[in-house]
Amino acid sequence: MSAKENFKKRLLGLQGNLLSFAYQLTTNREEAQDLLQDTTLKALDNEDKYVDNVNFKGWIFTIMRNIFINNYRQTVRKATVIDQTKELYHLNVSQDSGIDTPDGSFAIKEISEAINSFSDDYRIPFSMHVAGYKYQEIAEKMQLPLGTVKSRIFFARQRLQGMLKDYQR
């Protein structure tokens, strides 16, 4: 049996395990099947990169996990709106945020005012981070060193916690 046939046989032998893992990740049967198909295709496309002395099962499961993570990040990024308005009207708020209650809308307003009180140097990277951007993406967009972005977000978070002590549990 050639190496290529052996690779395909081993990959087909893992399909049941991969489908179970995909279902654990996605909790949706159709999405799990799509993830399985994407993983199988990627494994076949990268067959030449597999080294025989490496754990085959671990290699395939890592491919699946990475595809799932990348798809999730892409979905989050597509759903993210960067709010450039002064009052942060478009700030992404989770569905169970309590904004529908009078207390919740007041809290959101107070948090927005606190964030808006920051200088642009702190407000913009913090807002981007809250919106789901990675530190590296923020650094590239703002043309700043990565360490500067991380420290500004850290200090903005610290300042926000100090300003909103009443909301901490």
Side-chain angles (χ1 to χ4, degrees), residues 38-70:
D38 291 345
T39 302
T40 303
L41 181 62
K42 184 129 184 158
L44 290 171
D45 286 345
N46 293 293
E47 178 181 352
D48 57 323
K49 295 179 182 172
Y50 175 71
V51 181
D52 256 346
N53 63 352
V54 174
N55 177 359
F56 183 76
K57 188 175 179 180
W59 185 69
I60 298 295
F61 276 74
T62 300
I63 290 173
M64 179 175 277
R65 183 180 52 86
N66 289 342
I67 290 172
F68 173 76
I69 291 169
N70 290 338

Short mmCIF file of all heavy atoms in Angstrom, two decimals, residues 38-70:
data_model
loop_
_atom_site.label_atom_id
_atom_site.label_comp_id
_atom_site.label_asym_id
_atom_site.label_seq_id
_atom_site.Cartn_x
_atom_site.Cartn_y
_atom_site.Cartn_z
N ASP A 38 -14.67 20.32 5.79
CA ASP A 38 -13.56 21.28 5.67
C ASP A 38 -12.25 20.69 6.19
O ASP A 38 -11.19 20.88 5.58
CB ASP A 38 -13.88 22.56 6.45
CG ASP A 38 -15.00 23.37 5.83
OD1 ASP A 38 -15.35 23.13 4.67
OD2 ASP A 38 -15.53 24.27 6.54
N THR A 39 -12.34 19.96 7.29
CA THR A 39 -11.14 19.35 7.88
C THR A 39 -10.57 18.29 6.96
O THR A 39 -9.36 18.24 6.73
CB THR A 39 -11.48 18.74 9.25
OG1 THR A 39 -12.00 19.76 10.10
CG2 THR A 39 -10.25 18.12 9.89
N THR A 40 -11.43 17.44 6.43
CA THR A 40 -10.98 16.38 5.52
C THR A 40 -10.32 16.99 4.28
O THR A 40 -9.25 16.54 3.86
CB THR A 40 -12.17 15.49 5.11
OG1 THR A 40 -12.77 14.96 6.30
CG2 THR A 40 -11.72 14.35 4.23
N LEU A 41 -10.94 18.01 3.73
CA LEU A 41 -10.38 18.66 2.54
C LEU A 41 -9.02 19.29 2.85
O LEU A 41 -8.07 19.14 2.09
CB LEU A 41 -11.35 19.72 2.02
CG LEU A 41 -10.94 20.48 0.77
CD1 LEU A 41 -10.78 19.51 -0.40
CD2 LEU A 41 -11.96 21.55 0.44
N LYS A 42 -8.94 19.98 3.98
CA LYS A 42 -7.68 20.62 4.36
C LYS A 42 -6.58 19.58 4.61
O LYS A 42 -5.43 19.78 4.22
CB LYS A 42 -7.86 21.47 5.62
CG LYS A 42 -6.64 22.24 6.02
CD LYS A 42 -7.00 23.66 6.23
CE LYS A 42 -5.78 24.47 6.52
NZ LYS A 42 -5.98 25.85 6.23
N ALA A 43 -6.94 18.48 5.24
CA ALA A 43 -5.97 17.41 5.49
C ALA A 43 -5.47 16.83 4.16
O ALA A 43 -4.26 16.60 3.99
CB ALA A 43 -6.58 16.32 6.35
N LEU A 44 -6.39 16.61 3.23
CA LEU A 44 -5.98 16.07 1.92
C LEU A 44 -5.12 17.07 1.15
O LEU A 44 -4.17 16.68 0.48
CB LEU A 44 -7.22 15.68 1.11
CG LEU A 44 -7.98 14.45 1.61
CD1 LEU A 44 -9.30 14.28 0.86
CD2 LEU A 44 -7.13 13.20 1.50
N ASP A 45 -5.48 18.34 1.24
CA ASP A 45 -4.68 19.38 0.57
C ASP A 45 -3.28 19.49 1.15
O ASP A 45 -2.34 19.88 0.45
CB ASP A 45 -5.37 20.75 0.67
CG ASP A 45 -6.57 20.87 -0.26
OD1 ASP A 45 -6.72 20.02 -1.17
OD2 ASP A 45 -7.38 21.80 -0.06
N ASN A 46 -3.14 19.20 2.44
CA ASN A 46 -1.85 19.34 3.12
C ASN A 46 -1.19 18.01 3.45
O ASN A 46 -0.34 17.92 4.33
CB ASN A 46 -2.04 20.16 4.41
CG ASN A 46 -2.41 21.59 4.11
OD1 ASN A 46 -1.60 22.34 3.57
ND2 ASN A 46 -3.63 21.96 4.41
N GLU A 47 -1.57 16.99 2.72
CA GLU A 47 -1.03 15.66 2.95
C GLU A 47 0.49 15.65 2.87
O GLU A 47 1.16 14.97 3.65
CB GLU A 47 -1.61 14.69 1.91
CG GLU A 47 -1.10 13.29 2.00
CD GLU A 47 -1.71 12.39 0.93
OE1 GLU A 47 -2.63 12.82 0.22
OE2 GLU A 47 -1.24 11.25 0.83
N ASP A 48 1.04 16.43 1.96
CA ASP A 48 2.50 16.47 1.79
C ASP A 48 3.21 17.09 3.00
O ASP A 48 4.41 16.88 3.18
CB ASP A 48 2.85 17.24 0.52
CG ASP A 48 2.29 18.65 0.50
OD1 ASP A 48 1.16 18.86 0.98
OD2 ASP A 48 2.99 19.56 0.00
N LYS A 49 2.49 17.82 3.85
CA LYS A 49 3.09 18.45 5.02
C LYS A 49 3.11 17.52 6.24
O LYS A 49 3.75 17.82 7.23
CB LYS A 49 2.35 19.74 5.38
CG LYS A 49 2.48 20.80 4.31
CD LYS A 49 1.72 22.05 4.67
CE LYS A 49 1.84 23.06 3.55
NZ LYS A 49 0.98 24.21 3.76
N TYR A 50 2.38 16.41 6.15
CA TYR A 50 2.34 15.47 7.26
C TYR A 50 3.65 14.68 7.29
O TYR A 50 4.10 14.15 6.29
CB TYR A 50 1.15 14.52 7.14
CG TYR A 50 1.16 13.46 8.21
CD1 TYR A 50 0.89 13.79 9.53
CD2 TYR A 50 1.48 12.14 7.92
CE1 TYR A 50 0.91 12.83 10.53
CE2 TYR A 50 1.50 11.18 8.90
CZ TYR A 50 1.22 11.53 10.21
OH TYR A 50 1.26 10.59 11.20
N VAL A 51 4.23 14.59 8.48
CA VAL A 51 5.47 13.82 8.68
C VAL A 51 5.08 12.53 9.40
O VAL A 51 4.35 12.55 10.39
CB VAL A 51 6.46 14.64 9.55
CG1 VAL A 51 7.75 13.87 9.74
CG2 VAL A 51 6.72 15.99 8.91
N ASP A 52 5.56 11.39 8.89
CA ASP A 52 5.15 10.08 9.38
C ASP A 52 5.34 9.86 10.88
O ASP A 52 4.57 9.14 11.49
CB ASP A 52 5.89 8.97 8.62
CG ASP A 52 4.97 8.31 7.61
OD1 ASP A 52 3.76 8.51 7.68
OD2 ASP A 52 5.50 7.57 6.75
N ASN A 53 6.34 10.44 11.47
CA ASN A 53 6.59 10.18 12.89
C ASN A 53 5.75 11.07 13.82
O ASN A 53 5.95 11.07 15.02
CB ASN A 53 8.08 10.31 13.21
CG ASN A 53 8.60 11.71 12.97
OD1 ASN A 53 7.88 12.56 12.43
ND2 ASN A 53 9.83 11.96 13.34
N VAL A 54 4.82 11.83 13.26
CA VAL A 54 3.95 12.71 14.05
C VAL A 54 2.62 11.99 14.31
O VAL A 54 2.14 11.24 13.47
CB VAL A 54 3.72 14.04 13.30
CG1 VAL A 54 2.71 14.91 14.03
CG2 VAL A 54 5.02 14.80 13.13
N ASN A 55 2.02 12.23 15.47
CA ASN A 55 0.73 11.65 15.83
C ASN A 55 -0.33 12.06 14.80
O ASN A 55 -0.76 13.21 14.77
CB ASN A 55 0.35 12.12 17.24
CG ASN A 55 -1.00 11.63 17.69
OD1 ASN A 55 -1.71 10.93 16.98
ND2 ASN A 55 -1.35 12.02 18.90
N PHE A 56 -0.76 11.13 13.97
CA PHE A 56 -1.70 11.42 12.89
C PHE A 56 -3.02 11.94 13.43
O PHE A 56 -3.54 12.95 12.97
CB PHE A 56 -1.93 10.16 12.03
CG PHE A 56 -2.83 10.39 10.86
CD1 PHE A 56 -2.37 11.05 9.73
CD2 PHE A 56 -4.15 9.96 10.88
CE1 PHE A 56 -3.20 11.26 8.65
CE2 PHE A 56 -4.99 10.18 9.80
CZ PHE A 56 -4.51 10.83 8.68
N LYS A 57 -3.57 11.24 14.43
CA LYS A 57 -4.87 11.62 14.99
C LYS A 57 -4.79 13.03 15.60
O LYS A 57 -5.67 13.86 15.37
CB LYS A 57 -5.29 10.60 16.06
CG LYS A 57 -6.68 10.78 16.59
CD LYS A 57 -7.05 9.66 17.55
CE LYS A 57 -8.44 9.85 18.10
NZ LYS A 57 -8.81 8.78 19.03
N GLY A 58 -3.74 13.30 16.33
CA GLY A 58 -3.56 14.63 16.91
C GLY A 58 -3.43 15.71 15.85
O GLY A 58 -3.96 16.81 16.00
N TRP A 59 -2.75 15.38 14.75
CA TRP A 59 -2.55 16.34 13.66
C TRP A 59 -3.90 16.68 13.03
O TRP A 59 -4.21 17.85 12.81
CB TRP A 59 -1.60 15.72 12.63
CG TRP A 59 -1.21 16.61 11.50
CD1 TRP A 59 -0.42 17.71 11.55
CD2 TRP A 59 -1.58 16.46 10.12
NE1 TRP A 59 -0.26 18.26 10.31
CE2 TRP A 59 -0.98 17.50 9.40
CE3 TRP A 59 -2.37 15.54 9.43
CZ2 TRP A 59 -1.14 17.67 8.03
CZ3 TRP A 59 -2.52 15.70 8.06
CH2 TRP A 59 -1.91 16.75 7.39
N ILE A 60 -4.73 15.68 12.78
CA ILE A 60 -6.04 15.90 12.15
C ILE A 60 -6.96 16.67 13.09
O ILE A 60 -7.64 17.62 12.68
CB ILE A 60 -6.69 14.55 11.75
CG1 ILE A 60 -5.84 13.81 10.72
CG2 ILE A 60 -8.11 14.76 11.23
CD1 ILE A 60 -5.70 14.49 9.39
N PHE A 61 -6.97 16.31 14.37
CA PHE A 61 -7.83 17.00 15.33
C PHE A 61 -7.39 18.46 15.50
O PHE A 61 -8.22 19.34 15.71
CB PHE A 61 -7.86 16.26 16.68
CG PHE A 61 -8.85 15.14 16.72
CD1 PHE A 61 -8.60 13.95 16.05
CD2 PHE A 61 -10.04 15.27 17.41
CE1 PHE A 61 -9.51 12.91 16.08
CE2 PHE A 61 -10.97 14.23 17.45
CZ PHE A 61 -10.70 13.05 16.78
N THR A 62 -6.11 18.71 15.43
CA THR A 62 -5.60 20.08 15.51
C THR A 62 -6.07 20.89 14.31
O THR A 62 -6.44 22.07 14.45
CB THR A 62 -4.06 20.09 15.61
OG1 THR A 62 -3.69 19.37 16.79
CG2 THR A 62 -3.52 21.51 15.69
N ILE A 63 -6.06 20.28 13.15
CA ILE A 63 -6.56 20.96 11.95
C ILE A 63 -8.02 21.34 12.15
O ILE A 63 -8.43 22.48 11.88
CB ILE A 63 -6.40 20.06 10.69
CG1 ILE A 63 -4.92 19.93 10.31
CG2 ILE A 63 -7.20 20.62 9.51
CD1 ILE A 63 -4.65 18.93 9.20
N MET A 64 -8.81 20.40 12.67
CA MET A 64 -10.24 20.68 12.89
C MET A 64 -10.43 21.81 13.90
O MET A 64 -11.22 22.72 13.68
CB MET A 64 -10.98 19.43 13.37
CG MET A 64 -12.47 19.69 13.62
SD MET A 64 -13.40 18.23 14.04
CE MET A 64 -13.72 17.60 12.39
N ARG A 65 -9.71 21.74 14.99
CA ARG A 65 -9.84 22.77 16.03
C ARG A 65 -9.47 24.14 15.47
O ARG A 65 -10.16 25.14 15.71
CB ARG A 65 -8.96 22.42 17.23
CG ARG A 65 -9.08 23.40 18.39
CD ARG A 65 -8.19 23.00 19.55
NE ARG A 65 -6.82 22.77 19.18
CZ ARG A 65 -5.89 23.74 19.08
NH1 ARG A 65 -6.21 24.97 19.35
NH2 ARG A 65 -4.66 23.46 18.74
N ASN A 66 -8.39 24.21 14.69
CA ASN A 66 -7.96 25.48 14.13
C ASN A 66 -8.97 26.03 13.12
O ASN A 66 -9.22 27.24 13.08
CB ASN A 66 -6.58 25.34 13.49
CG ASN A 66 -5.49 25.16 14.52
OD1 ASN A 66 -5.68 25.45 15.70
ND2 ASN A 66 -4.36 24.66 14.09
N ILE A 67 -9.55 25.15 12.31
CA ILE A 67 -10.58 25.59 11.36
C ILE A 67 -11.77 26.14 12.13
O ILE A 67 -12.31 27.20 11.78
CB ILE A 67 -11.01 24.44 10.43
CG1 ILE A 67 -9.88 24.10 9.46
CG2 ILE A 67 -12.27 24.80 9.65
CD1 ILE A 67 -10.12 22.86 8.62
N PHE A 68 -12.18 25.45 13.19
CA PHE A 68 -13.31 25.92 13.98
C PHE A 68 -13.02 27.29 14.59
O PHE A 68 -13.86 28.20 14.52
CB PHE A 68 -13.64 24.91 15.10
CG PHE A 68 -14.68 25.41 16.06
CD1 PHE A 68 -16.01 25.43 15.70
CD2 PHE A 68 -14.32 25.89 17.31
CE1 PHE A 68 -16.98 25.89 16.58
CE2 PHE A 68 -15.28 26.37 18.18
CZ PHE A 68 -16.61 26.37 17.82
N ILE A 69 -11.84 27.45 15.17
CA ILE A 69 -11.47 28.73 15.78
C ILE A 69 -11.44 29.84 14.74
O ILE A 69 -11.97 30.93 14.96
CB ILE A 69 -10.13 28.61 16.52
CG1 ILE A 69 -10.28 27.74 17.76
CG2 ILE A 69 -9.58 29.99 16.89
CD1 ILE A 69 -8.97 27.34 18.40
N ASN A 70 -10.84 29.58 13.59
CA ASN A 70 -10.77 30.59 12.54
C ASN A 70 -12.16 30.97 12.04
O ASN A 70 -12.44 32.15 11.80
CB ASN A 70 -9.89 30.11 11.39
CG ASN A 70 -8.43 30.06 11.77
OD1 ASN A 70 -7.99 30.72 12.70
ND2 ASN A 70 -7.67 29.25 11.06
#
